Amino acid sequence: MLRHYDLIGLLVPDRVHAGSGYRSYAPDQLHLLNRIVALKDLGFTLERVRRLLDDDLDPAELRGMLRLRRAQLEDEARTVDTRLNAVETRLQMIEKENTMTADYVVKTIPAVRLVASRATLEPDRLGEHIGPMFDEVATALRHARGALDTPIATYAETETGMDVVVGYENPGPPPDGTEMLDLPEVRAVCGVHLGAMTGIHPSWQDLHRWFIENGYTFSGPRRELYVRAESDDQTDWVTELQQPVTKA
């Protein structure tokens, strides 16, 4: 790399040994090398790098460009992680297509009042937002005794995305930044998902398949009651799936 930079005149050595051709660089050339590598990492061609260096690129401007690129790469990494999780989930769904579970009950879910936050999200990016939304509501309720005992989320598909409500059972009044929301009493098919949220889609798919084959139809947004949701790795989480239904 250094030999090529020398050949094109981008970074000329401080001196070259006449016999061995060994290139030696002065310590004060390190900042120039750092700038060349940084600009290459930003995607600039070597010719564009040369012009930027000739224009005496301001260090503050270079730092700003690198910070912007770092943010772009972090966003790309999050997108890749989301897609990998979606692929893994789809593989699990396919592998379980020929298996069924009968661990479902149809029961009445009582009405509940939530202090909540709501948003319309891209369905394939729910995992990036649900946790932070819960954190915001929890922070608002932090001084209320027992306010975080019953976390609940609801999901409703719309033409513009997934309408999501997350909150905690609480009689109110809602703190600033949250709202009061009443979930009505419903008749629902219920099941249990054990473990991390990354694997919850197959559990929902199994539940949906069961209630359709047993003569039920959708009757409202699906709900998730987080019975146990304490560990960071989610391995011991317990989530009750609640799908409001009517008999077909």
Side-chain angles (χ1 to χ4, degrees):
M1 181 183 68
L2 290 174
R3 185 181 299 111
H4 181 62
Y5 292 167
D6 181 15
L7 290 174
I8 65 176
L10 188 59
L11 181 61
V12 178
D14 182 60
R15 61 185 183 278
V16 179
H17 191 276
S20 66
Y22 186 82
R23 294 169 173 77
S24 296
Y25 294 83
D28 60 3
Q29 290 183 288
L30 180 61
H31 78 283
L32 179 58
L33 178 60
N34 282 336
R35 281 159 174 73
I36 293 172
V37 175
L39 291 169
K40 278 190 61 185
D41 288 344
L42 287 170
F44 292 114
T45 65
L46 289 179
E47 181 56 36
R48 179 61 175 153
V49 169
R50 185 202 305 277
R51 291 200 298 269
L52 287 169
L53 294 176
D54 288 344
D55 292 339
D56 195 19
L57 181 66
D58 182 78
E61 184 178 0
L62 178 58
R63 285 195 295 271
M65 295 166 67
L66 286 169
R67 290 191 182 107
L68 177 60
R69 182 56 177 158
R70 180 178 63 189
Q72 292 172 338
L73 290 172
E74 289 172 347
D75 187 59
E76 291 173 8
R78 285 191 294 269
T79 300
V80 170
D81 285 342
T82 298
R83 289 176 177 172
L84 286 173
N85 286 334
V87 169
E88 180 62 28
T89 296
R90 188 60 56 184
L91 283 171
Q92 293 176 11
M93 290 179 178
I94 292 172
E95 290 168 356
K96 293 178 64 177
E97 280 180 352
N98 296 322
T99 64
M100 289 288 290
T101 176
D103 296 331
Y104 304 114
V105 296
V106 180
K107 64 181 182 180
T108 298
I109 305 298
V112 59
R113 173 164 289 183
L114 299 180
V115 170
S117 175
R118 69 169 77 203
T120 299
L121 306 172
E122 297 178 28
D124 61 349
R125 304 190 71 175
L126 293 179
E128 298 177 27
H129 300 282
I130 301 303
M133 290 174 66
F134 267 116
D135 290 342
E136 290 176 6
V137 180
T139 298
L141 288 170
R142 64 187 179 279
H143 298 305
R145 183 183 298 274
L148 307 182
D149 291 346
T150 310
I152 296 173
T154 72
Y155 303 88
E157 295 182 14
T158 69
E159 293 182 356
T160 57
M162 185 75 74
D163 284 350
V164 178
V165 172
V166 304
Y168 296 87
E169 182 177 8
N170 194 278
D176 291 342
T178 65
E179 60 180 293
M180 187 67 70
L181 190 142
D182 289 311
L183 300 182
E185 177 182 291
V186 292
R187 193 73 171 163
V189 174
C190 300
V192 175
H193 170 74
L194 302 176
M197 292 297 100
T198 53
I200 201 168
H201 296 297
S203 296
W204 270 115
Q205 188 179 61
D206 286 346
L207 184 147
H208 288 162
R209 183 169 52 187
W210 182 90
F211 78 70
I212 289 173
E213 292 187 354
N214 284 273
Y216 293 93
T217 59
F218 291 93
S219 182
R222 71 177 187 262
R223 305 179 187 181
E224 292 177 358
L225 169 63
Y226 304 101
V227 180
R228 183 169 65 203
E230 298 175 357
S231 63
D232 291 336
D233 63 7
Q234 302 184 0
T235 54
D236 62 349
W237 280 28
V238 179
T239 306
E240 182 173 282
L241 313 181
Q242 303 172 347
Q243 176 60 64
V245 294
T246 57
K247 193 67 173 178

